[in-house]
Amino acid sequence: MDRDRELLRHFLAAIAYRTQKALRGAPEHYATFSAGNRARTPTELIRHMTSLMGYVRTFFEGGTYKPDPLPGFAQELERFHGMIEAVGALLASGAKCSITTEQLLQGPFADAMTHVGQLAMLRRLADTPIAPENFIHADIRADRLHADQPRPARPDKYWPEAPPQ
């Protein structure tokens, strides 16, 4: 596998890790939390992120991809991780892609990471902010794209925005 694809797989793993960080410990109401003004809910964001990764898959396999809504947040999240695992496998396989690495990164990959940030922001707006950490030290591996992600390796000790205990 070439270095570009290794980096894309690592970026996928960072998306998986940061998604789970944004969702870990979220209260049940978070999945349908609305910030108003037609902003996507966390469930809708995860479905859109799945759609982005399905779009990536079409550059390898052809066709189209549009995920129908699933009955619950857990199912949406499971499908999302399954899709990024499928994209990771395509990258690892050496399958031909019809667009460049740069286009994958600047388009759907960067878009997905933007939505991870939105998931984290929605946690704060839902009064359950996530703790900061130093992501340089995070245990992110290209072969770990599933929902079972490790806990922070270096969480920040000082967290002024922490919710009251």
Side-chain angles (χ1 to χ4, degrees), residues 124-162:
R124 182 174 294 269
L125 293 173
D127 290 327
T128 58
I130 58 173
E133 76 173 277
N134 186 335
F135 288 104
I136 289 172
H137 302 285
D139 183 14
I140 297 173
R141 294 193 340 237
D143 64 342
R144 190 187 297 131
L145 301 174
H146 47 73
D148 186 21
Q149 295 291 318
R151 308 286 281 171
R154 295 241 185 121
D156 288 3
K157 289 178 178 48
Y158 178 66
W159 184 23
E161 306 88 4

PDB file of all heavy atoms in Angstrom, residues 124-162:
ATOM      1  N   ARG A 124     -21.735  19.929  23.892  1.00  0.00           N
ATOM      2  CA  ARG A 124     -21.648  21.120  24.754  1.00  0.00           C
ATOM      3  C   ARG A 124     -23.001  21.833  24.815  1.00  0.00           C
ATOM      4  O   ARG A 124     -23.459  22.232  25.884  1.00  0.00           O
ATOM      5  CB  ARG A 124     -20.574  22.068  24.232  1.00  0.00           C
ATOM      6  CG  ARG A 124     -20.376  23.295  25.093  1.00  0.00           C
ATOM      7  CD  ARG A 124     -19.200  24.094  24.596  1.00  0.00           C
ATOM      8  NE  ARG A 124     -17.955  23.373  24.769  1.00  0.00           N
ATOM      9  CZ  ARG A 124     -17.189  23.454  25.849  1.00  0.00           C
ATOM     10  NH1 ARG A 124     -17.540  24.231  26.838  1.00  0.00           N
ATOM     11  NH2 ARG A 124     -16.068  22.771  25.920  1.00  0.00           N
ATOM     12  N   LEU A 125     -23.650  21.995  23.673  1.00  0.00           N
ATOM     13  CA  LEU A 125     -24.948  22.662  23.646  1.00  0.00           C
ATOM     14  C   LEU A 125     -26.020  21.873  24.401  1.00  0.00           C
ATOM     15  O   LEU A 125     -26.977  22.457  24.915  1.00  0.00           O
ATOM     16  CB  LEU A 125     -25.386  22.910  22.199  1.00  0.00           C
ATOM     17  CG  LEU A 125     -24.543  23.913  21.414  1.00  0.00           C
ATOM     18  CD1 LEU A 125     -24.969  23.952  19.952  1.00  0.00           C
ATOM     19  CD2 LEU A 125     -24.616  25.301  22.040  1.00  0.00           C
ATOM     20  N   ALA A 126     -25.858  20.557  24.464  1.00  0.00           N
ATOM     21  CA  ALA A 126     -26.799  19.694  25.193  1.00  0.00           C
ATOM     22  C   ALA A 126     -26.424  19.583  26.673  1.00  0.00           C
ATOM     23  O   ALA A 126     -26.931  18.718  27.384  1.00  0.00           O
ATOM     24  CB  ALA A 126     -26.837  18.309  24.543  1.00  0.00           C
ATOM     25  N   ASP A 127     -25.522  20.451  27.130  1.00  0.00           N
ATOM     26  CA  ASP A 127     -25.080  20.505  28.535  1.00  0.00           C
ATOM     27  C   ASP A 127     -24.327  19.269  29.000  1.00  0.00           C
ATOM     28  O   ASP A 127     -24.331  18.936  30.177  1.00  0.00           O
ATOM     29  CB  ASP A 127     -26.255  20.783  29.480  1.00  0.00           C
ATOM     30  CG  ASP A 127     -26.781  22.193  29.340  1.00  0.00           C
ATOM     31  OD1 ASP A 127     -25.972  23.100  29.066  1.00  0.00           O
ATOM     32  OD2 ASP A 127     -28.000  22.385  29.505  1.00  0.00           O
ATOM     33  N   THR A 128     -23.678  18.577  28.061  1.00  0.00           N
ATOM     34  CA  THR A 128     -22.839  17.438  28.426  1.00  0.00           C
ATOM     35  C   THR A 128     -21.538  17.489  27.625  1.00  0.00           C
ATOM     36  O   THR A 128     -21.267  16.616  26.794  1.00  0.00           O
ATOM     37  CB  THR A 128     -23.565  16.091  28.180  1.00  0.00           C
ATOM     38  OG1 THR A 128     -23.929  16.010  26.805  1.00  0.00           O
ATOM     39  CG2 THR A 128     -24.791  15.935  29.045  1.00  0.00           C
ATOM     40  N   PRO A 129     -20.712  18.533  27.860  1.00  0.00           N
ATOM     41  CA  PRO A 129     -19.487  18.675  27.070  1.00  0.00           C
ATOM     42  C   PRO A 129     -18.533  17.503  27.279  1.00  0.00           C
ATOM     43  O   PRO A 129     -18.592  16.811  28.301  1.00  0.00           O
ATOM     44  CB  PRO A 129     -18.881  19.982  27.578  1.00  0.00           C
ATOM     45  CG  PRO A 129     -19.458  20.174  28.930  1.00  0.00           C
ATOM     46  CD  PRO A 129     -20.818  19.543  28.908  1.00  0.00           C
ATOM     47  N   ILE A 130     -17.675  17.289  26.287  1.00  0.00           N
ATOM     48  CA  ILE A 130     -16.685  16.219  26.385  1.00  0.00           C
ATOM     49  C   ILE A 130     -15.368  16.792  26.893  1.00  0.00           C
ATOM     50  O   ILE A 130     -15.042  17.942  26.633  1.00  0.00           O
ATOM     51  CB  ILE A 130     -16.488  15.483  25.041  1.00  0.00           C
ATOM     52  CG1 ILE A 130     -16.063  16.443  23.930  1.00  0.00           C
ATOM     53  CG2 ILE A 130     -17.754  14.744  24.656  1.00  0.00           C
ATOM     54  CD1 ILE A 130     -15.685  15.779  22.635  1.00  0.00           C
ATOM     55  N   ALA A 131     -14.645  15.970  27.610  1.00  0.00           N
ATOM     56  CA  ALA A 131     -13.369  16.401  28.183  1.00  0.00           C
ATOM     57  C   ALA A 131     -12.321  16.572  27.091  1.00  0.00           C
ATOM     58  O   ALA A 131     -12.275  15.796  26.137  1.00  0.00           O
ATOM     59  CB  ALA A 131     -12.890  15.380  29.212  1.00  0.00           C
ATOM     60  N   PRO A 132     -11.463  17.573  27.219  1.00  0.00           N
ATOM     61  CA  PRO A 132     -10.387  17.757  26.239  1.00  0.00           C
ATOM     62  C   PRO A 132      -9.282  16.723  26.431  1.00  0.00           C
ATOM     63  O   PRO A 132      -9.146  16.123  27.502  1.00  0.00           O
ATOM     64  CB  PRO A 132      -9.878  19.170  26.538  1.00  0.00           C
ATOM     65  CG  PRO A 132     -10.228  19.403  27.963  1.00  0.00           C
ATOM     66  CD  PRO A 132     -11.478  18.615  28.244  1.00  0.00           C
ATOM     67  N   GLU A 133      -8.511  16.519  25.383  1.00  0.00           N
ATOM     68  CA  GLU A 133      -7.353  15.635  25.461  1.00  0.00           C
ATOM     69  C   GLU A 133      -6.316  16.076  24.437  1.00  0.00           C
ATOM     70  O   GLU A 133      -6.629  16.804  23.508  1.00  0.00           O
ATOM     71  CB  GLU A 133      -7.735  14.176  25.236  1.00  0.00           C
ATOM     72  CG  GLU A 133      -8.014  13.804  23.793  1.00  0.00           C
ATOM     73  CD  GLU A 133      -8.233  12.326  23.568  1.00  0.00           C
ATOM     74  OE1 GLU A 133      -7.242  11.587  23.434  1.00  0.00           O
ATOM     75  OE2 GLU A 133      -9.409  11.921  23.524  1.00  0.00           O
ATOM     76  N   ASN A 134      -5.114  15.594  24.603  1.00  0.00           N
ATOM     77  CA  ASN A 134      -4.044  15.859  23.655  1.00  0.00           C
ATOM     78  C   ASN A 134      -4.082  14.738  22.611  1.00  0.00           C
ATOM     79  O   ASN A 134      -3.614  13.625  22.870  1.00  0.00           O
ATOM     80  CB  ASN A 134      -2.690  15.902  24.369  1.00  0.00           C
ATOM     81  CG  ASN A 134      -1.581  16.318  23.450  1.00  0.00           C
ATOM     82  OD1 ASN A 134      -1.659  16.148  22.232  1.00  0.00           O
ATOM     83  ND2 ASN A 134      -0.522  16.849  24.022  1.00  0.00           N
ATOM     84  N   PHE A 135      -4.642  15.033  21.442  1.00  0.00           N
ATOM     85  CA  PHE A 135      -4.837  14.012  20.407  1.00  0.00           C
ATOM     86  C   PHE A 135      -3.532  13.518  19.788  1.00  0.00           C
ATOM     87  O   PHE A 135      -3.523  12.475  19.142  1.00  0.00           O
ATOM     88  CB  PHE A 135      -5.771  14.529  19.309  1.00  0.00           C
ATOM     89  CG  PHE A 135      -7.203  14.621  19.737  1.00  0.00           C
ATOM     90  CD1 PHE A 135      -7.767  15.842  20.045  1.00  0.00           C
ATOM     91  CD2 PHE A 135      -7.982  13.481  19.840  1.00  0.00           C
ATOM     92  CE1 PHE A 135      -9.091  15.929  20.445  1.00  0.00           C
ATOM     93  CE2 PHE A 135      -9.304  13.549  20.237  1.00  0.00           C
ATOM     94  CZ  PHE A 135      -9.862  14.783  20.542  1.00  0.00           C
ATOM     95  N   ILE A 136      -2.453  14.239  19.972  1.00  0.00           N
ATOM     96  CA  ILE A 136      -1.168  13.768  19.463  1.00  0.00           C
ATOM     97  C   ILE A 136      -0.820  12.418  20.078  1.00  0.00           C
ATOM     98  O   ILE A 136      -0.229  11.554  19.432  1.00  0.00           O
ATOM     99  CB  ILE A 136      -0.057  14.803  19.727  1.00  0.00           C
ATOM    100  CG1 ILE A 136      -0.263  16.018  18.833  1.00  0.00           C
ATOM    101  CG2 ILE A 136       1.329  14.208  19.528  1.00  0.00           C
ATOM    102  CD1 ILE A 136       0.662  17.177  19.141  1.00  0.00           C
ATOM    103  N   HIS A 137      -1.251  12.201  21.307  1.00  0.00           N
ATOM    104  CA  HIS A 137      -0.919  10.969  22.025  1.00  0.00           C
ATOM    105  C   HIS A 137      -2.041   9.932  21.981  1.00  0.00           C
ATOM    106  O   HIS A 137      -1.914   8.874  22.598  1.00  0.00           O
ATOM    107  CB  HIS A 137      -0.566  11.302  23.471  1.00  0.00           C
ATOM    108  CG  HIS A 137       0.579  12.254  23.572  1.00  0.00           C
ATOM    109  ND1 HIS A 137       1.887  11.873  23.349  1.00  0.00           N
ATOM    110  CD2 HIS A 137       0.607  13.591  23.825  1.00  0.00           C
ATOM    111  CE1 HIS A 137       2.667  12.929  23.478  1.00  0.00           C
ATOM    112  NE2 HIS A 137       1.922  13.981  23.756  1.00  0.00           N
ATOM    113  N   ALA A 138      -3.116  10.210  21.276  1.00  0.00           N
ATOM    114  CA  ALA A 138      -4.240   9.279  21.195  1.00  0.00           C
ATOM    115  C   ALA A 138      -3.803   7.973  20.530  1.00  0.00           C
ATOM    116  O   ALA A 138      -2.978   7.971  19.612  1.00  0.00           O
ATOM    117  CB  ALA A 138      -5.382   9.912  20.413  1.00  0.00           C
ATOM    118  N   ASP A 139      -4.377   6.886  20.986  1.00  0.00           N
ATOM    119  CA  ASP A 139      -4.076   5.559  20.447  1.00  0.00           C
ATOM    120  C   ASP A 139      -4.952   5.309  19.220  1.00  0.00           C
ATOM    121  O   ASP A 139      -5.969   4.625  19.283  1.00  0.00           O
ATOM    122  CB  ASP A 139      -4.318   4.497  21.528  1.00  0.00           C
ATOM    123  CG  ASP A 139      -3.951   3.102  21.072  1.00  0.00           C
ATOM    124  OD1 ASP A 139      -3.272   2.950  20.033  1.00  0.00           O
ATOM    125  OD2 ASP A 139      -4.366   2.139  21.758  1.00  0.00           O
ATOM    126  N   ILE A 140      -4.552   5.915  18.111  1.00  0.00           N
ATOM    127  CA  ILE A 140      -5.296   5.807  16.854  1.00  0.00           C
ATOM    128  C   ILE A 140      -4.515   4.912  15.909  1.00  0.00           C
ATOM    129  O   ILE A 140      -3.346   5.149  15.655  1.00  0.00           O
ATOM    130  CB  ILE A 140      -5.521   7.207  16.238  1.00  0.00           C
ATOM    131  CG1 ILE A 140      -6.383   8.054  17.177  1.00  0.00           C
ATOM    132  CG2 ILE A 140      -6.151   7.096  14.853  1.00  0.00           C
ATOM    133  CD1 ILE A 140      -6.527   9.494  16.758  1.00  0.00           C
ATOM    134  N   ARG A 141      -5.195   3.865  15.428  1.00  0.00           N
ATOM    135  CA  ARG A 141      -4.544   2.910  14.520  1.00  0.00           C
ATOM    136  C   ARG A 141      -5.422   2.693  13.298  1.00  0.00           C
ATOM    137  O   ARG A 141      -6.640   2.572  13.414  1.00  0.00           O
ATOM    138  CB  ARG A 141      -4.336   1.574  15.234  1.00  0.00           C
ATOM    139  CG  ARG A 141      -3.357   1.632  16.376  1.00  0.00           C
ATOM    140  CD  ARG A 141      -2.936   0.248  16.862  1.00  0.00           C
ATOM    141  NE  ARG A 141      -3.842  -0.820  16.494  1.00  0.00           N
ATOM    142  CZ  ARG A 141      -4.427  -1.639  17.383  1.00  0.00           C
ATOM    143  NH1 ARG A 141      -4.205  -1.510  18.663  1.00  0.00           N
ATOM    144  NH2 ARG A 141      -5.224  -2.599  16.956  1.00  0.00           N
ATOM    145  N   ALA A 142      -4.795   2.611  12.154  1.00  0.00           N
ATOM    146  CA  ALA A 142      -5.511   2.471  10.886  1.00  0.00           C
ATOM    147  C   ALA A 142      -6.334   1.191  10.811  1.00  0.00           C
ATOM    148  O   ALA A 142      -7.294   1.122  10.048  1.00  0.00           O
ATOM    149  CB  ALA A 142      -4.531   2.522   9.714  1.00  0.00           C
ATOM    150  N   ASP A 143      -5.999   0.190  11.605  1.00  0.00           N
ATOM    151  CA  ASP A 143      -6.761  -1.062  11.573  1.00  0.00           C
ATOM    152  C   ASP A 143      -7.891  -1.064  12.609  1.00  0.00           C
ATOM    153  O   ASP A 143      -8.564  -2.070  12.780  1.00  0.00           O
ATOM    154  CB  ASP A 143      -5.842  -2.262  11.787  1.00  0.00           C
ATOM    155  CG  ASP A 143      -5.184  -2.274  13.164  1.00  0.00           C
ATOM    156  OD1 ASP A 143      -5.144  -1.214  13.831  1.00  0.00           O
ATOM    157  OD2 ASP A 143      -4.689  -3.343  13.570  1.00  0.00           O
ATOM    158  N   ARG A 144      -8.121   0.060  13.279  1.00  0.00           N
ATOM    159  CA  ARG A 144      -9.183   0.140  14.291  1.00  0.00           C
ATOM    160  C   ARG A 144     -10.203   1.175  13.845  1.00  0.00           C
ATOM    161  O   ARG A 144     -10.136   2.340  14.197  1.00  0.00           O
ATOM    162  CB  ARG A 144      -8.594   0.524  15.643  1.00  0.00           C
ATOM    163  CG  ARG A 144      -9.608   0.374  16.764  1.00  0.00           C
ATOM    164  CD  ARG A 144      -9.132   0.908  18.105  1.00  0.00           C
ATOM    165  NE  ARG A 144      -7.977   0.206  18.611  1.00  0.00           N
ATOM    166  CZ  ARG A 144      -6.889   0.831  19.064  1.00  0.00           C
ATOM    167  NH1 ARG A 144      -6.797   2.137  19.090  1.00  0.00           N
ATOM    168  NH2 ARG A 144      -5.863   0.130  19.516  1.00  0.00           N
ATOM    169  N   LEU A 145     -11.162   0.737  13.036  1.00  0.00           N
ATOM    170  CA  LEU A 145     -12.175   1.637  12.496  1.00  0.00           C
ATOM    171  C   LEU A 145     -13.557   1.374  13.095  1.00  0.00           C
ATOM    172  O   LEU A 145     -14.511   2.080  12.779  1.00  0.00           O
ATOM    173  CB  LEU A 145     -12.239   1.495  10.969  1.00  0.00           C
ATOM    174  CG  LEU A 145     -10.932   1.799  10.228  1.00  0.00           C
ATOM    175  CD1 LEU A 145     -11.063   1.477   8.744  1.00  0.00           C
ATOM    176  CD2 LEU A 145     -10.512   3.233  10.444  1.00  0.00           C
ATOM    177  N   HIS A 146     -13.660   0.419  13.970  1.00  0.00           N
ATOM    178  CA  HIS A 146     -14.931   0.049  14.585  1.00  0.00           C
ATOM    179  C   HIS A 146     -15.268   0.994  15.733  1.00  0.00           C
ATOM    180  O   HIS A 146     -14.502   1.906  16.064  1.00  0.00           O
ATOM    181  CB  HIS A 146     -14.885  -1.406  15.059  1.00  0.00           C
ATOM    182  CG  HIS A 146     -13.637  -1.734  15.813  1.00  0.00           C
ATOM    183  ND1 HIS A 146     -13.396  -1.290  17.102  1.00  0.00           N
ATOM    184  CD2 HIS A 146     -12.531  -2.430  15.455  1.00  0.00           C
ATOM    185  CE1 HIS A 146     -12.221  -1.713  17.522  1.00  0.00           C
ATOM    186  NE2 HIS A 146     -11.665  -2.404  16.517  1.00  0.00           N
ATOM    187  N   ALA A 147     -16.409   0.765  16.360  1.00  0.00           N
ATOM    188  CA  ALA A 147     -16.890   1.649  17.425  1.00  0.00           C
ATOM    189  C   ALA A 147     -16.120   1.483  18.736  1.00  0.00           C
ATOM    190  O   ALA A 147     -16.131   2.381  19.571  1.00  0.00           O
ATOM    191  CB  ALA A 147     -18.377   1.406  17.662  1.00  0.00           C
ATOM    192  N   ASP A 148     -15.467   0.377  18.918  1.00  0.00           N
ATOM    193  CA  ASP A 148     -14.747   0.118  20.173  1.00  0.00           C
ATOM    194  C   ASP A 148     -13.394   0.821  20.135  1.00  0.00           C
ATOM    195  O   ASP A 148     -12.397   0.240  19.720  1.00  0.00           O
ATOM    196  CB  ASP A 148     -14.580  -1.388  20.389  1.00  0.00           C
ATOM    197  CG  ASP A 148     -13.966  -1.723  21.727  1.00  0.00           C
ATOM    198  OD1 ASP A 148     -14.020  -0.874  22.649  1.00  0.00           O
ATOM    199  OD2 ASP A 148     -13.417  -2.829  21.858  1.00  0.00           O
ATOM    200  N   GLN A 149     -13.383   2.058  20.569  1.00  0.00           N
ATOM    201  CA  GLN A 149     -12.173   2.878  20.542  1.00  0.00           C
ATOM    202  C   GLN A 149     -11.616   3.024  21.960  1.00  0.00           C
ATOM    203  O   GLN A 149     -12.370   3.013  22.937  1.00  0.00           O
ATOM    204  CB  GLN A 149     -12.483   4.266  19.962  1.00  0.00           C
ATOM    205  CG  GLN A 149     -12.911   4.234  18.510  1.00  0.00           C
ATOM    206  CD  GLN A 149     -11.768   3.856  17.596  1.00  0.00           C
ATOM    207  OE1 GLN A 149     -10.639   4.298  17.746  1.00  0.00           O
ATOM    208  NE2 GLN A 149     -12.058   3.012  16.608  1.00  0.00           N
ATOM    209  N   PRO A 150     -10.300   3.157  22.085  1.00  0.00           N
ATOM    210  CA  PRO A 150      -9.707   3.277  23.419  1.00  0.00           C
ATOM    211  C   PRO A 150     -10.043   4.609  24.088  1.00  0.00           C
ATOM    212  O   PRO A 150     -10.405   5.582  23.433  1.00  0.00           O
ATOM    213  CB  PRO A 150      -8.203   3.163  23.156  1.00  0.00           C
ATOM    214  CG  PRO A 150      -8.028   3.556  21.739  1.00  0.00           C
ATOM    215  CD  PRO A 150      -9.305   3.181  21.028  1.00  0.00           C
ATOM    216  N   ARG A 151      -9.897   4.623  25.388  1.00  0.00           N
ATOM    217  CA  ARG A 151     -10.080   5.841  26.171  1.00  0.00           C
ATOM    218  C   ARG A 151      -8.906   6.784  25.883  1.00  0.00           C
ATOM    219  O   ARG A 151      -7.864   6.356  25.380  1.00  0.00           O
ATOM    220  CB  ARG A 151     -10.112   5.522  27.666  1.00  0.00           C
ATOM    221  CG  ARG A 151     -11.089   4.431  28.065  1.00  0.00           C
ATOM    222  CD  ARG A 151     -12.507   4.812  28.054  1.00  0.00           C
ATOM    223  NE  ARG A 151     -12.936   5.580  29.205  1.00  0.00           N
ATOM    224  CZ  ARG A 151     -14.122   6.149  29.254  1.00  0.00           C
ATOM    225  NH1 ARG A 151     -14.939   6.032  28.255  1.00  0.00           N
ATOM    226  NH2 ARG A 151     -14.499   6.827  30.292  1.00  0.00           N
ATOM    227  N   PRO A 152      -9.048   8.057  26.214  1.00  0.00           N
ATOM    228  CA  PRO A 152      -7.956   9.013  25.993  1.00  0.00           C
ATOM    229  C   PRO A 152      -6.665   8.598  26.697  1.00  0.00           C
ATOM    230  O   PRO A 152      -6.687   8.185  27.863  1.00  0.00           O
ATOM    231  CB  PRO A 152      -8.495  10.316  26.576  1.00  0.00           C
ATOM    232  CG  PRO A 152      -9.973  10.177  26.517  1.00  0.00           C
ATOM    233  CD  PRO A 152     -10.249   8.713  26.735  1.00  0.00           C
ATOM    234  N   ALA A 153      -5.552   8.697  25.985  1.00  0.00           N
ATOM    235  CA  ALA A 153      -4.244   8.377  26.563  1.00  0.00           C
ATOM    236  C   ALA A 153      -3.732   9.530  27.415  1.00  0.00           C
ATOM    237  O   ALA A 153      -3.061   9.311  28.423  1.00  0.00           O
ATOM    238  CB  ALA A 153      -3.246   8.069  25.445  1.00  0.00           C
ATOM    239  N   ARG A 154      -4.055  10.758  27.024  1.00  0.00           N
ATOM    240  CA  ARG A 154      -3.613  11.941  27.758  1.00  0.00           C
ATOM    241  C   ARG A 154      -4.749  12.956  27.893  1.00  0.00           C
ATOM    242  O   ARG A 154      -4.738  14.008  27.258  1.00  0.00           O
ATOM    243  CB  ARG A 154      -2.440  12.602  27.047  1.00  0.00           C
ATOM    244  CG  ARG A 154      -1.198  11.776  27.009  1.00  0.00           C
ATOM    245  CD  ARG A 154      -0.066  12.496  27.734  1.00  0.00           C
ATOM    246  NE  ARG A 154       1.148  11.729  27.577  1.00  0.00           N
ATOM    247  CZ  ARG A 154       2.251  12.179  27.022  1.00  0.00           C
ATOM    248  NH1 ARG A 154       2.312  13.406  26.584  1.00  0.00           N
ATOM    249  NH2 ARG A 154       3.311  11.411  26.932  1.00  0.00           N
ATOM    250  N   PRO A 155      -5.739  12.634  28.736  1.00  0.00           N
ATOM    251  CA  PRO A 155      -6.792  13.632  28.936  1.00  0.00           C
ATOM    252  C   PRO A 155      -6.214  14.860  29.645  1.00  0.00           C
ATOM    253  O   PRO A 155      -5.279  14.741  30.435  1.00  0.00           O
ATOM    254  CB  PRO A 155      -7.803  12.906  29.819  1.00  0.00           C
ATOM    255  CG  PRO A 155      -7.042  11.806  30.471  1.00  0.00           C
ATOM    256  CD  PRO A 155      -5.911  11.445  29.546  1.00  0.00           C
ATOM    257  N   ASP A 156      -6.753  16.020  29.337  1.00  0.00           N
ATOM    258  CA  ASP A 156      -6.301  17.237  30.011  1.00  0.00           C
ATOM    259  C   ASP A 156      -6.711  17.183  31.483  1.00  0.00           C
ATOM    260  O   ASP A 156      -7.847  16.837  31.808  1.00  0.00           O
ATOM    261  CB  ASP A 156      -6.917  18.475  29.358  1.00  0.00           C
ATOM    262  CG  ASP A 156      -6.334  18.790  27.997  1.00  0.00           C
ATOM    263  OD1 ASP A 156      -5.480  18.017  27.513  1.00  0.00           O
ATOM    264  OD2 ASP A 156      -6.739  19.816  27.420  1.00  0.00           O
ATOM    265  N   LYS A 157      -5.788  17.525  32.368  1.00  0.00           N
ATOM    266  CA  LYS A 157      -6.087  17.530  33.796  1.00  0.00           C
ATOM    267  C   LYS A 157      -6.939  18.740  34.166  1.00  0.00           C
ATOM    268  O   LYS A 157      -7.793  18.677  35.032  1.00  0.00           O
ATOM    269  CB  LYS A 157      -4.791  17.521  34.604  1.00  0.00           C
ATOM    270  CG  LYS A 157      -4.062  16.184  34.525  1.00  0.00           C
ATOM    271  CD  LYS A 157      -2.761  16.242  35.296  1.00  0.00           C
ATOM    272  CE  LYS A 157      -2.007  14.941  35.305  1.00  0.00           C
ATOM    273  NZ  LYS A 157      -1.826  14.264  34.086  1.00  0.00           N
ATOM    274  N   TYR A 158      -6.696  19.853  33.497  1.00  0.00           N
ATOM    275  CA  TYR A 158      -7.432  21.077  33.770  1.00  0.00           C
ATOM    276  C   TYR A 158      -8.549  21.223  32.752  1.00  0.00           C
ATOM    277  O   TYR A 158      -8.305  21.232  31.545  1.00  0.00           O
ATOM    278  CB  TYR A 158      -6.486  22.288  33.702  1.00  0.00           C
ATOM    279  CG  TYR A 158      -7.167  23.608  33.920  1.00  0.00           C
ATOM    280  CD1 TYR A 158      -7.731  23.920  35.154  1.00  0.00           C
ATOM    281  CD2 TYR A 158      -7.265  24.530  32.893  1.00  0.00           C
ATOM    282  CE1 TYR A 158      -8.375  25.131  35.358  1.00  0.00           C
ATOM    283  CE2 TYR A 158      -7.906  25.747  33.080  1.00  0.00           C
ATOM    284  CZ  TYR A 158      -8.463  26.035  34.317  1.00  0.00           C
ATOM    285  OH  TYR A 158      -9.099  27.227  34.515  1.00  0.00           O
ATOM    286  N   TRP A 159      -9.775  21.331  33.235  1.00  0.00           N
ATOM    287  CA  TRP A 159     -10.927  21.410  32.359  1.00  0.00           C
ATOM    288  C   TRP A 159     -11.912  22.428  32.934  1.00  0.00           C
ATOM    289  O   TRP A 159     -12.820  22.080  33.675  1.00  0.00           O
ATOM    290  CB  TRP A 159     -11.546  20.033  32.217  1.00  0.00           C
ATOM    291  CG  TRP A 159     -12.683  19.929  31.264  1.00  0.00           C
ATOM    292  CD1 TRP A 159     -12.967  20.748  30.227  1.00  0.00           C
ATOM    293  CD2 TRP A 159     -13.719  18.942  31.270  1.00  0.00           C
ATOM    294  NE1 TRP A 159     -14.100  20.341  29.566  1.00  0.00           N
ATOM    295  CE2 TRP A 159     -14.574  19.225  30.190  1.00  0.00           C
ATOM    296  CE3 TRP A 159     -13.975  17.838  32.053  1.00  0.00           C
ATOM    297  CZ2 TRP A 159     -15.690  18.440  29.893  1.00  0.00           C
ATOM    298  CZ3 TRP A 159     -15.087  17.070  31.753  1.00  0.00           C
ATOM    299  CH2 TRP A 159     -15.934  17.361  30.690  1.00  0.00           C
ATOM    300  N   PRO A 160     -11.716  23.707  32.607  1.00  0.00           N
ATOM    301  CA  PRO A 160     -12.562  24.747  33.218  1.00  0.00           C
ATOM    302  C   PRO A 160     -14.036  24.659  32.841  1.00  0.00           C
ATOM    303  O   PRO A 160     -14.883  25.127  33.584  1.00  0.00           O
ATOM    304  CB  PRO A 160     -11.946  26.048  32.719  1.00  0.00           C
ATOM    305  CG  PRO A 160     -11.151  25.685  31.520  1.00  0.00           C
ATOM    306  CD  PRO A 160     -10.741  24.249  31.690  1.00  0.00           C
ATOM    307  N   GLU A 161     -14.354  24.026  31.714  1.00  0.00           N
ATOM    308  CA  GLU A 161     -15.742  23.939  31.271  1.00  0.00           C
ATOM    309  C   GLU A 161     -16.441  22.683  31.768  1.00  0.00           C
ATOM    310  O   GLU A 161     -17.564  22.392  31.353  1.00  0.00           O
ATOM    311  CB  GLU A 161     -15.833  23.945  29.734  1.00  0.00           C
ATOM    312  CG  GLU A 161     -15.154  25.095  29.067  1.00  0.00           C
ATOM    313  CD  GLU A 161     -13.686  24.821  28.788  1.00  0.00           C
ATOM    314  OE1 GLU A 161     -13.210  23.703  29.035  1.00  0.00           O
ATOM    315  OE2 GLU A 161     -12.993  25.738  28.316  1.00  0.00           O
ATOM    316  N   ALA A 162     -15.811  21.929  32.649  1.00  0.00           N
ATOM    317  CA  ALA A 162     -16.390  20.673  33.120  1.00  0.00           C
ATOM    318  C   ALA A 162     -17.763  20.917  33.721  1.00  0.00           C
ATOM    319  O   ALA A 162     -17.985  21.898  34.431  1.00  0.00           O
ATOM    320  CB  ALA A 162     -15.486  20.015  34.143  1.00  0.00           C
TER     321      ALA A 162
END
